[in-house]
Amino acid sequence: MHDPQQPADEGTRLGRLAATVERLRREVREAHAAADGRALIELAKGILVERLSCNPAEAARQLSSLAEQAGLTQLELAADIVNQAAQDRLTEAASQFVSAATGREGSSAEGDGSGDDQVSITLRLRTAESGVLAADDTQAVSESLLQHALAPLGATAVAVWAAGTDGSLTLAGAAGFAPGEAGRWRYVPPGVATPARQALVERGTVWFGDVSEVGLPSIGHLPSEGGGRVAVPAGAGGRVLGVLEIAWPHPLPPQPQAVQRQVEALAELIAHTLEGHPAAQGIARRPDSELLDLANGLHDPVLILRPHLDADGHLADFRIQHVNTNFVDFAGRPRSAVNGALLLEAYPMAAGEGGLFEKVERVHATGEPFRAERMPLTAIIDQVPLTAVASVSISRHGDCVLLLWRVLDEAARVAGLLQHAQRLGRMGGFEENVTTGEITWNGQLFTLLGLPATAPPIPLRQLPQHAHPDDAVALGRFLRTLLHHRMPASTAFRLQRSDGVSRHIRVVAEPVLDADGRLLSVRGAFQDISAQHWTEVALAATRDQLAHTEQQAAERNRLALQLQQAIMPPTHGPIEAFDLRIGVRYRPAEEEHLVGGDWYDCVVLPSKQVLLSLGDVAGHGIEAATGMVVLRNALRGLATTGAGPAQLLTWLNLVAHHLTEQVTATAVCALFDPETRILRWARAGHFPPIMLREGEASELPLIEGVLLGALSEARFEEGSVQLLKEDVLLMYTDGLIERKDRSLEHSQRQLLTVATAEVTSLEQRLDHLLTYSKSDTDDDTCVIGIQLR
């Protein structure tokens, strides 16, 4: 039998079990809090032992007595004692956080109910501090920071990055992220944009209210995801050892200064753990002896700099710890004048914006080396600034910075540029003393003239002996102008080198005179112009060939034009055939080289039918013109057989494919029967005719028909139309409508509009079409118009 009390008993048991679980959880939290409180009380007892010079038991009694007198718990008094003794960033962060929370910035928390907040904040930060100091590695540091200090702020994850000497980032510890994220983000190469990278480069805290808005990827985050982030550089003595990155699951509003200071205080906590990380040390810190050996082994001046900190532990300057044995100060000072001095004392001008000190400070902070090919260096000697341009290299080695420079000798640099210019220009210089006979050549001239460096230079007077005999007259004129008339001179000649190679050489020289006008020496240069000479020869030959080709092309165009004009004159009067009035307009190409293969034909056949044909052979020139003649005459002959338009185009396709040399063409063929007034027509890849009836224009229905000459066998369809009185039929080639910037379909639609213009005669309609056509290709154009009366 079912017991109605059983569900109630079961609910009671579940409620009791839930209450028991909640009580156990509360006891665990209280136990943790008590343990943390005991740690803080023991820390306060230790401070009292040191300050009062008493034993631990007496310190415990003093703490109890003082708490009773102040009306505070021992835990609250212990928090005040530790904060007063420490006076560090953690104390400041806790005080500001509590003040901001209570709405009384800068007021005391004592007696206003905020003492518990003060203790809570202090407990949280001190517990995090003790966890950091006790942790064996940065992974434990990350977990301690998240548990004790960041989770109460709403953060859900934290990452600790170690900065490498090359600007890379290595994940030293992470907590709160999904499994596998640490493996995927184990190493971030230099130059990859992330929130931590931005904090490293800017050397300052970077807050992201919603990291998805900036599109920077990072651990546990994709650019499309939202959430707040903060990246804080962690360092000591001016050197950035790594970055603390904290993540929130939701967008983060602007944080008060108290929270910002608390986050920065936490970043300082992790700095000492990063000092021992291999990535922050540059894999392995070099001993000073190895660094000294490296500096002394370099030929350029080297300074080894160590950071010099002020009383607050901040970077103030760099001490010149060592100068290498090859050190030469660009200002002329001895080694002893700079060795051991501060960098800004030895080189005060380095403190300018973007100057040397800023570069050294950045390299020391981030580890990224700096290189500059041309950088001004300035020193003040006897209140006079001395500036030199040098190639500078700065790199970090452990705690030290290596500064190396090489002063650029502008004179040597210009000489080097001149030497390269002579080599590229295949030039060599000389100077000849006409009094002593001494001759000076540079090294490039020996190579240019094909002589070994040990060979004696060639005097100017002996140049004809080393030149082609045909150039003797030109060289004699050159020597006479230079040596006798004492004027600058130049000439070109063919040099016969000892290795059998003939080169074209240009020599340019000028005399050097004394105050009385007597010739002292001659100086000048030789240049190998063989490539220029052969280029000119090839260019002249090309010009001759081009002129011959142009003459041939002009002759072919002239013949093509004459042939075209002989078959189809540019103008043609109206034709009257039975009840038809036929008008034709032919406009040849404007340029002779564009002479094409457009044709038209209007003829009354023996059968009393009227043949109307129009076509366009592909291409231009004499080939297109001769192809046009063949097809036009063939169609006229085939039409006498009495066959229909489709059959005529079938035969004409055989002519184009077999009896011509690869001629292709479009065509339209029509036969008009005067008795029935029916026009039969066929097309071979051509535009269909346009019918004008009662003021409206339309194309005849499109029928099948391929390009002439494209296939050996082709089928053509035949269409027919009954012409009525005053109907107008227009046939045309693509030269009437073809445009470079429009499709043929668009141009055909425009033609239908132009064709409907109001005119008084067929001839005026054809003239109107030619005048207002939109074509811009300068191609041949044919138009045939028929009107039934």
Side-chain angles (χ1 to χ4, degrees):
M1 184 174 178
H2 179 68
D3 185 1
Q5 295 298 323
Q6 184 177 356
D9 293 341
E10 183 178 354
T12 302
R13 286 196 300 270
L14 291 175
R16 290 173 180 173
L17 180 58
T20 302
V21 171
E22 180 61 28
R23 178 177 55 80
L24 292 176
R25 286 179 177 173
R26 184 170 60 253
E27 291 177 357
V28 169
R29 290 195 296 268
E30 291 174 354
H32 281 299
D36 293 338
R38 285 195 299 271
L40 190 60
I41 290 173
E42 292 300 323
L43 185 59
K45 289 179 182 179
I47 294 173
L48 292 177
V49 168
E50 188 270 335
R51 297 287 175 88
L52 302 178
S53 300
C54 61
N55 56 42
E58 180 64 26
R61 288 192 297 269
Q62 287 287 343
L63 182 64
S64 176
S65 175
L66 291 173
E68 184 178 355
Q69 295 175 11
L72 302 173
T73 64
Q74 289 191 24
L75 187 58
E76 293 173 338
L77 181 60
D80 287 340
I81 292 174
V82 171
N83 287 338
Q84 290 295 329
Q87 290 298 320
D88 56 7
R89 289 290 295 276
L90 288 177
T91 304
E92 181 184 357
S95 300
Q96 289 190 1
F97 189 83
V98 172
S99 299
T102 58
R104 288 178 294 275
E105 186 72 31
S107 65
S108 172
E110 182 179 350
D112 59 4
S114 63
D116 292 338
D117 293 333
Q118 178 74 42
V119 173
S120 176
I121 296 296
T122 303
L123 276 174
R124 184 193 313 162
L125 298 182
R126 293 302 174 188
T127 304
E129 180 185 27
S130 61
V132 169
L133 296 176
D136 296 331
D137 54 25
T138 48
Q139 179 60 35
V141 169
S142 304
E143 296 172 355
S144 177
L145 287 178
L146 181 61
Q147 177 184 356
H148 297 291
L150 297 176
L153 295 179
T156 56
V158 63
V160 177
W161 303 92
T165 56
D166 58 349
S168 62
L169 291 171
T170 303
L171 188 62
F177 294 106
E181 282 296 297
R184 286 192 290 269
W185 286 88
R186 180 183 59 83
Y187 176 76
V188 179
V192 177
T194 64
R197 169 73 180 175
Q198 186 170 340
L200 177 66
V201 172
E202 297 182 6
R203 290 184 286 166
T205 304
V206 183
W207 289 84
F208 299 94
D210 190 347
V211 73
S212 63
E213 296 179 356
V214 295
L216 293 178
S218 186
I219 180 173
H221 162 74
L222 296 175
S224 60
E225 298 176 352
R229 292 258 169 157
V230 61
V232 192
R239 177 183 172 190
V240 179
L241 302 175
V243 178
L244 172 65
E245 184 174 353
I246 307 170
W248 282 264
H250 50 74
L252 196 64
Q255 296 298 297
Q257 185 178 7
V259 175
Q260 298 179 21
R261 296 294 294 269
Q262 181 177 347
V263 169
E264 293 172 0
L266 294 176
E268 291 186 5
L269 275 178
I270 69 168
H272 82 280
T273 62
L274 292 175
E275 287 181 329
H277 196 276
Q281 288 190 351
I283 301 177
R285 184 174 297 181
R286 292 185 176 87
D288 288 344
S289 59
E290 294 185 12
L291 188 58
L292 292 176
D293 293 340
L294 172 64
N296 291 331
L298 298 174
H299 293 287
D300 295 315
V302 177
L303 301 179
I304 297 180
L305 308 174
R306 275 199 182 278
H308 177 73
L309 308 180
D310 58 16
D312 296 329
H314 299 141
L315 179 67
D317 203 341
F318 290 90
R319 179 75 63 183
I320 302 176
Q321 186 188 38
H322 177 74
V323 294
N324 67 339
T325 54
N326 294 323
F327 178 82
V328 177
D329 184 39
F330 62 87
R333 293 174 294 185
R335 296 174 55 199
S336 58
V338 297
N339 195 14
L342 294 175
L343 182 62
L344 292 180
E345 292 179 356
Y347 302 99
M349 299 300 292
E353 182 178 356
L356 183 64
F357 183 84
E358 181 179 315
K359 306 301 183 186
V360 173
E361 182 184 21
R362 183 178 183 83
V363 171
H364 173 259
T366 65
E368 294 187 46
F370 171 79
R371 304 285 186 274
E373 291 297 327
R374 296 178 60 81
M375 183 175 181
L377 301 178
T378 304
I380 297 179
I381 306 299
D382 297 331
Q383 299 182 350
V384 177
L386 299 177
T387 302
V389 178
S391 172
V392 177
S393 173
I394 309 174
S395 58
R396 191 178 73 185
H397 301 267
D399 288 336
C400 297
V401 176
L402 201 68
L403 171 60
L404 179 149
W405 68 61
R406 177 181 298 172
V407 176
L408 302 178
D409 187 345
E410 293 297 322
R413 184 169 176 270
V414 172
L417 291 176
L418 179 59
Q419 183 177 2
H420 287 302
Q422 290 179 347
R423 176 180 57 82
L424 294 174
R426 301 186 62 80
M427 298 178 62
F430 70 90
E431 184 172 6
E432 181 175 340
N433 191 314
V434 297
T435 304
T436 63
E438 180 182 2
I439 302 175
T440 303
W441 280 10
N442 66 357
Q444 184 64 28
L445 189 53
F446 286 95
T447 304
L448 183 67
L449 300 184
L451 297 175
T454 57
I458 301 175
L460 285 176
R461 296 182 183 276
Q462 296 181 12
L463 277 182
Q465 303 175 17
H466 299 271
H468 192 280
D470 293 345
D471 297 328
V473 175
L475 283 174
R477 186 181 303 110
F478 164 77
L479 293 175
R480 185 166 55 255
T481 302
L482 182 65
L483 302 178
H484 178 66
H485 297 291
R486 302 172 186 176
M487 297 175 60
S490 65
T491 190
F493 65 97
R494 286 162 288 181
L495 176 70
Q496 304 292 333
R497 298 195 336 184
S498 58
D499 54 7
V501 177
S502 178
R503 307 296 295 178
H504 289 261
I505 302 294
R506 175 175 296 278
V507 57
V508 180
E510 65 177 3
V512 178
L513 309 176
D514 62 8
D516 298 328
R518 292 187 296 268
L519 182 64
L520 297 179
S521 61
V522 175
R523 57 193 176 196
F526 289 88
Q527 183 181 18
D528 188 343
I529 59 171
S530 300
Q532 177 183 350
H533 171 77
W534 293 118
T535 300
E536 292 176 353
V537 171
L539 184 60
T542 303
R543 288 197 189 98
D544 293 341
Q545 185 177 3
L546 180 61
H548 179 67
T549 303
E550 289 177 348
Q551 183 178 1
Q552 287 183 325
E555 184 65 21
R556 290 169 61 86
N557 292 336
R558 185 182 61 81
L559 291 175
L561 186 60
Q562 289 179 347
L563 179 61
Q564 185 185 61
Q565 291 177 350
I567 301 300
M568 293 181 303
T571 57
H572 202 296
I575 301 174
E576 302 288 344
F578 305 104
D579 294 332
L580 285 182
R581 182 176 182 86
I582 305 172
V584 176
R585 291 295 183 271
Y586 175 71
R587 181 174 62 192
E590 295 184 8
E591 302 291 339
E592 290 186 357
H593 68 278
L594 293 179
V595 172
D598 288 13
W599 92 84
Y600 63 88
D601 200 4
C602 303
V603 61
V604 178
L605 301 176
S607 62
K608 304 304 181 182
Q609 291 185 330
V610 180
L611 171 67
L612 303 168
S613 64
L614 180 141
D616 184 3
V617 175
H620 298 87
I622 189 67
E623 292 82 3
T626 54
M628 173 268 293
V629 172
V630 170
L631 295 182
R632 181 175 182 272
N633 292 339
L635 181 60
R636 175 175 284 195
L638 292 171
T640 60
T641 63
Q647 183 62 54
L648 291 178
L649 290 184
T650 302
W651 289 337
L652 194 62
N653 178 70
L654 294 175
V655 173
H657 188 78
H658 295 286
L659 301 183
T660 60
E661 295 183 359
Q662 299 180 346
V663 169
T664 58
T666 64
V668 60
C669 176
L671 289 174
F672 175 73
D673 189 342
E675 295 182 359
T676 63
R677 294 194 171 190
I678 294 177
L679 182 135
R680 294 183 297 154
W681 68 286
R683 58 179 286 273
H686 205 85
F687 305 112
I690 294 177
M691 171 67 75
L692 294 176
R693 178 173 288 174
E694 296 180 355
E696 295 185 359
S698 63
E699 291 183 341
L700 295 184
L702 192 65
I703 57 177
E704 183 180 349
V706 300
L707 194 72
L708 294 176
L711 302 173
S712 59
E713 295 183 1
R715 177 181 175 276
F716 297 91
E717 188 178 352
E718 186 173 296
S720 63
V721 59
Q722 178 73 55
L723 296 184
L724 304 178
K725 187 176 180 180
E726 301 303 328
D727 282 352
V728 176
L729 195 72
L730 301 174
M731 296 187 294
Y732 60 95
T733 59
D734 59 0
L736 182 67
I737 63 173
E738 194 172 31
R739 289 182 59 84
K740 299 175 183 176
D741 59 346
R742 293 288 189 274
S743 64
L744 286 176
E745 291 77 7
H746 180 270
S747 299
Q748 285 178 280
R749 291 193 298 269
Q750 284 188 334
L751 180 62
L752 293 177
T753 303
V754 176
T756 57
E758 294 185 3
V759 293
T760 58
S761 66
L762 178 64
E763 285 73 20
Q764 289 184 0
R765 188 176 301 279
L766 297 181
D767 292 336
H768 182 81
L769 287 177
L770 290 180
T771 301
Y772 293 97
S773 66
K774 301 291 185 178
S775 63
D776 60 0
T777 59
D778 297 330
D779 199 3
D780 288 8
T781 301
C782 282
V783 182
I784 296 178
I786 62 174
Q787 185 175 20
L788 185 62
R789 294 177 296 178

